[in-house]
Every structure is written in structure tokens, then in C-alpha cells.
Amino acid sequence: MPSLSRMQPSSMNPSLSPLSRTYHSIDLLKVVAALLVVAIHAFPAHDGGQPLPINLFSRMAVPVFFVVSAFFFFKKKPGREQLLRYLKRMGALYAFWLVVEAYITIDGAFLSHPEWPLGKALAIFARNFLLNSTFSGSWFIMALIIGIPLVYWLCKRLNTWAVLTIGIGCYIPIVATTNYYAYLPEGAQHATDAALKALGYYHNSAFAALAFCAMGRLIAEHEAAIARLKGWTTTVALALCVALAWMEVAYHEARFADCYFMLVPTTAAIVVWVLKHETAMNLPYALLRNFSTVTYFSHFIFIWALASTPLSPLAIYFVVVALSLATTFAFRILSPRIPLLRYGY
């Protein structure tokens, strides 16, 4: 998602100072994550339900964005002024895409529920502004707007491991009541139903994001130690995490598959592995960073527009990706003349 500035001197040697790195491997990771997010919503392999690879790998995409966003923010040891600038930038990103998706947002929040009194519709919209999504995917931005300052504030009082423990303490009941809903006693299921009705999809909120934001800060604090790790150790750790995640996801039916227990360590293992394996490929990384952001937000619009077409789900997926890429090019070309477009990526 929106990136902090990169240091320009390029170094593929991870043993050098982190300040000399380009983090192009993370740029590639963000592109992969954006494409996986599209897969969640475009159902490219739709057969009556999401296939295992999507529930396993695509669900890692947004947590990766949280960890990477927190990593880049906290690695610069920000102060209050940097935090305020970050929140201003996130607020501008939110406002831009809220305007772009205004028609779909208004239709979903108000016009599609004519039986709701206006007061109820407004109350739900206000709740979704903080805890879920107003426009599609906006919960990610709001979770960062809440989660990053919360981690920043908590780490003024506690060490990062303690803050991560708090985040995991929030994450465990979220997973237990959503992914493992079917295993709960009847009374706990009723309580979960009431919580979902009152709070909305709380598994898509800052409650779930806190653990990943804290993980991003923890990785930033230990970046030098990560650089000293043997490459094979990060590969083994990642393979083990993926295997355990596959076992968790494959062997039970989830009510909501967005969160699962192995998602936290697996996401951390992915980011650590990518940090350890910097790419040497010569690619247009600024374009790729813009593409990952634009794709995350614009794909909802294109899926909505293509829903009534005779295209197959797989065809829709590739058309959406192509349209997202075209939008990225358009934003980059037109933004010198229309500066407001810069807020979109």
C-alpha cells in the first residue's frame, strides 16, 4: 500500500545497513499480495466456494500489507510529527477512494436497504466507518489509522513484545468466534451472532490488525538481526509455517475464513523471508508500488461493473487486473496535470 520514501542507493547485500537497502523484494511482495486480494473477490476458480489456495494464500495478502506498512513506518523511529503526517496521508487516501466509489458506497449503504430508517442507515454507516468498510476495502485504511497510532502509543509504555502479545490476545477470540464458529457451544454462537450484528465483521477491523501492526514494528526493530540469519533458516521457517497453515485451513470448515491462527506467524515468516532475499531484478519498482495500491482499491469497482457480463470468473479476474494496470498508468500520466490523482496511490 502507500509506501514511505525509499533510500535510493541500491544494495543487494542484506548484511549492509538497512538504510542502504531498496526493499525491492517487498515491492514485488506487495504486487503479489494485491493480485491475491483480487482473487478473493473475483472468484477466479469459483466452484460453489473458495478453493483451498485462496483461503490459504490469498488471506495472507492484507495481513502482509499491515506488516509491511507498519515495518516501513516504525523502521524510521518516528516521532509525533511523522505520525501526524502518516495519518494525514492515510486520510487523504481514504477520502480519494471514498469519492471514487461514492455511487457504489451510497447504493450499498442506503439505496439497497429502502426498508431501513435513515437514522439506522446512518448509524450503520458510522459504525462501518470505524470498524468495517464504507467503500469496499476501506477497512484496511481505517485499521491502519487506528492500529499504527495505537501501537505507537502502547510502545511508549510497553516493549514491542508486550504490545504484540496484546494484539494476539485480541486476535485469538476473533479467530475462535469466526473461523471456528461451528465448534463453539450454542451460547457462544448466540453471543457471536449478537457481536457481529452490533459490531459488523469485526474480523475486518483494527481489532484484527493490531497484531500485524505490532509484528511490523517488531520486525523493524530486529531488521539487523534478520540480516544476520542464514538464508536457509528463513526458508525452513516459512515452509513449516505454510505447512501448518495448510493443515489448519484444509481440515475444517470455517464460517469466515478471513482469519486463522497460523496467519500471524506465517505472515511474519513471509515478510522476514522476503527481507532476507532481496531481489536484483531491474524492474520499474515505483510503478509496481503504485500498481499494488491502485489494484487493491480499484478492483472492487471493476468486479462490480463486470458482474453482469457473460465472462467466466477466470476471465473477469484477468480483465480486472488489466483494468487496474491501465488505471495505474492513467493516474501516473495524468497526475502532473491533475494533482488530486496522486492521493489515489
Side-chain angles (χ1 to χ4, degrees):
M1 307 313 295
S3 303
L4 299 182
S5 61
R6 301 282 205 273
M7 298 298 294
Q8 292 306 311
S10 176
S11 170
M12 298 303 118
N13 184 353
S15 66
L16 296 179
S17 167
L19 292 178
S20 67
R21 296 193 58 182
T22 58
Y23 300 100
H24 290 330
S25 57
I26 290 185
D27 293 331
L28 294 178
L29 175 63
K30 290 165 61 179
V31 170
V32 172
L35 296 175
L36 289 173
V37 170
V38 178
I40 294 174
H41 304 111
F43 296 93
H46 184 59
D47 59 356
Q50 292 282 31
L52 175 62
I54 290 181
N55 281 336
L56 176 62
F57 295 109
S58 294
R59 297 301 178 181
M60 299 176 188
V62 175
V64 161
F65 281 134
F66 281 126
V67 173
V68 167
S69 297
F71 168 80
F72 280 121
F73 178 75
F74 287 111
K75 77 182 295 295
K76 294 183 178 292
K77 298 179 173 58
R80 183 174 178 272
E81 183 179 346
Q82 289 78 18
L83 176 62
L84 292 176
R85 283 204 300 266
Y86 180 81
L87 295 178
K88 182 179 179 180
R89 187 162 64 252
M90 291 297 101
L93 183 70
Y94 194 108
F96 178 90
W97 287 103
L98 178 61
V99 172
V100 170
E101 297 192 32
Y103 175 79
I104 303 173
T105 301
I106 292 171
D107 179 66
F110 300 99
L111 303 182
S112 62
H113 300 284
E115 74 281 6
W116 287 0
L118 179 60
K120 178 179 179 179
L122 288 172
I124 292 175
F125 187 84
R127 180 203 68 187
N128 291 346
F129 177 76
L130 290 174
L131 297 179
N132 303 142
S133 290
T134 50
F135 62 90
S136 299
S138 65
W139 77 272
F140 168 78
I141 307 177
M142 186 54 63
L144 281 177
I145 289 174
I146 296 172
I148 292 292
L150 186 55
V151 171
Y152 176 89
W153 181 81
L154 288 172
C155 285
K156 293 288 187 182
R157 294 151 179 82
L158 302 167
N159 65 48
T160 308
W161 284 104
V163 178
L164 176 61
T165 301
I166 293 172
I168 293 174
C170 296
Y171 188 76
I172 288 174
I174 289 173
V175 175
T177 56
T178 57
N179 197 297
Y180 289 86
Y181 176 89
Y183 303 94
L184 297 175
E186 184 177 354
Q189 289 184 346
H190 291 325
T192 298
D193 294 339
L196 287 166
K197 185 176 181 180
L199 301 175
Y201 292 155
Y202 52 75
H203 49 281
N204 289 340
S205 73
F207 295 130
L210 181 60
F212 299 103
C213 291
M215 183 64 73
R217 176 175 175 126
L218 189 68
I219 292 173
E221 290 178 348
H222 292 83
E223 186 180 6
I226 291 170
R228 293 192 295 270
L229 293 173
K230 299 292 185 182
W232 67 267
T233 61
T234 61
T235 300
V236 170
L238 177 57
L240 179 61
C241 285
V242 170
L244 293 174
W246 181 86
M247 292 174 62
E248 180 183 8
V249 172
Y251 289 105
H252 78 278
E253 188 71 25
R255 179 179 179 184
F256 296 105
D258 303 65
C259 301
Y260 52 90
F261 289 124
M262 282 303 300
L263 192 55
V264 176
T266 305
T267 302
I270 290 170
V271 175
V272 168
W273 188 92
V274 168
L275 281 172
K276 185 63 183 176
H277 296 81
E278 178 66 23
T279 180
M281 291 188 290
N282 184 19
L283 297 172
Y285 291 102
L287 172 64
L288 294 178
R289 289 193 292 272
N290 299 156
F291 172 72
S292 65
T293 302
V294 172
T295 299
Y296 179 88
F297 294 107
S298 66
H299 80 275
F300 295 102
I301 302 171
F302 300 132
I303 291 173
W304 174 80
L306 294 169
S308 59
T309 67
L311 293 174
S312 69
L314 185 60
I316 287 177
Y317 175 84
F318 285 110
V319 171
V320 167
V321 171
L323 290 172
S324 297
L325 180 60
T327 303
T328 304
F329 277 114
F331 279 17
R332 287 170 59 90
I333 292 170
L334 295 174
S335 59
R337 285 176 286 177
I338 310 176
L340 283 175
L341 293 177
R342 295 187 181 275
Y343 293 118
Y345 62 95

